[in-house]
Amino acid sequence: MGTRAGRACRRVSRRRGRARKGAQPRRGVLSRDAVLLLVPVLLAGLLVFHSAVPNTFGRLGSLLETFLPWLASAFPVLLVAALRRRSLAGAFALLLALTAWAGVFGGRLLPPSGTARDDLTVVQHNISDENPDPAAAARELAATGAGLVALQEVTEAALPALTTALAPRYPHHAVVGTVGLWSAHPLTDVRRVDIRPQGIAEGWDRGLRATVRLPAQGEVAVYVAHLPSVRLGWDRGFRAADRDESARLLGAALAAERLERIVLLGDLNGTVEDRGLDPVLERLGPPRSGHAFSWPASFPLARIDQVMARNATVREVRSLPATGSDHLPLAARIGF
């Protein structure tokens, strides 16, 4: 009896051991399901409440906002994982994240509004001070038939070639420092706009303002700007202090503008989601349609080149083919 009882006890112990071993994967399943639920909820929260991410350390908030649309790159992975796990909760959480993304960026995927007879087409391009053939790039921009062409990183060496290439279509132009505006319409009241941050040496001129006399709309104040570059480093995070200060100076200039209608064309080194550009966005409206990523030209990840307006509507913005610069040109249609 004792032997039988001992064997029975050992069998019961082995069954309990197997049961305990079988329970371990079940705990793992629950943890993976929790990940499928929590990650989409986190992404939805970042999309909707990105401004709540603090900028106190390394400007993490601005870094997130620069690449905010790319949070959607996680959606296909989460969808495959939810289908493989047959996780209904994960699928619903992913639907929440998709809805959040559509609420923030979906409007830009809609087709632009119809063209009006008096719409103005403009081109914005950081042509690059290392462009191997700036004249060829200028001819490509002129071929768009735009009424205005704004350029940044205009060097003294490239200026004659640019002017010659653009002159047939754009007889009016103004250059201040390294930014320039070429226009099919007369320019008046051209002046420098001081957007130089403290600590940057004199001679750093990256802002201009001109009055453009459009045949149907009358006078429009056109600003061309090139804000300081940002840097990303492991030691100091997303360094954008100079860019942010320059944006505040540009915002102050826009606030003081006497003309009702303003168009801003520039390499602002920031996306419209980046809070560093808030002083500008408080004065002007961004495009209504089009993502038009412009940088880097080899694999565009963000639109840091911008076209904005006041008392006018930037109906759409689109990127143009590469020109030898590290930025893609942008073409935009503005309605008055």
Side-chain angles (χ1 to χ4, degrees), residues 193-198 244-254 279:
V193 178
D194 185 5
I195 57 172
R196 181 174 62 91
Q198 291 184 355
D244 293 353
E245 183 181 350
S246 191
R248 288 191 291 271
L249 293 170
L250 178 57
L254 295 170

Side-chain angles (χ1 to χ4, degrees), residues 295-313:
W295 179 88
S298 57
F299 189 83
L301 294 172
R303 188 177 78 235
I304 61 174
D305 297 89
Q306 303 296 344
V307 178
M308 303 181 190
R310 183 179 82 184
N311 289 324
T313 302

Side-chain angles (χ1 to χ4, degrees), residues 58 98 149:
L98 283 166
V149 173

Side-chain angles (χ1 to χ4, degrees), residues 117-265:
R117 185 167 55 88
D118 59 351
D119 279 358
L120 173 68
T121 299
V122 300
V123 165
Q124 149 60 31
H125 189 32
N126 180 328
I127 202 165
S128 176
D129 55 9
E130 298 180 351
N131 195 312
D133 195 346
R139 287 191 292 270
E140 292 179 26
L141 301 180
T144 63
L148 299 174
V149 173
L151 299 179
Q152 296 82 44
E153 295 197 11
V154 176
T155 65
E156 290 185 7
L159 182 57
L162 291 173
T163 302
T164 300
L166 293 170
R169 189 178 291 271
Y170 305 99
H172 312 282
H173 78 277
V175 176
V176 173
T178 58
V179 298
L181 177 65
W182 278 260
S183 173
H185 313 288
L187 301 178
T188 59
D189 196 15
V190 177
R191 61 178 182 266
R192 171 180 176 267
V193 178
D194 185 5
I195 57 172
R196 181 174 62 91
Q198 291 184 355
I200 293 182
E202 292 283 348
W204 189 94
D205 292 323
R206 291 190 180 186
L208 76 79
R209 180 256 184 225
T211 298
V212 179
R213 297 182 183 274
L214 299 177
Q217 302 89 347
E219 293 186 340
V220 178
V222 177
Y223 286 72
V224 181
H226 184 189
L227 303 192
S229 299
V230 298
R231 296 287 184 267
L232 182 61
W234 296 110
D235 54 341
R236 297 172 62 185
F238 192 66
R239 289 175 285 174
D242 286 343
R243 191 278 315 271
D244 293 353
E245 183 181 350
S246 191
R248 288 191 291 271
L249 293 170
L250 178 57
L254 295 170
E257 174 56 51
R258 61 179 180 81
L259 291 182
E260 293 184 358
R261 288 177 295 192
I262 300 175
V263 172
L264 169 65
L265 306 164

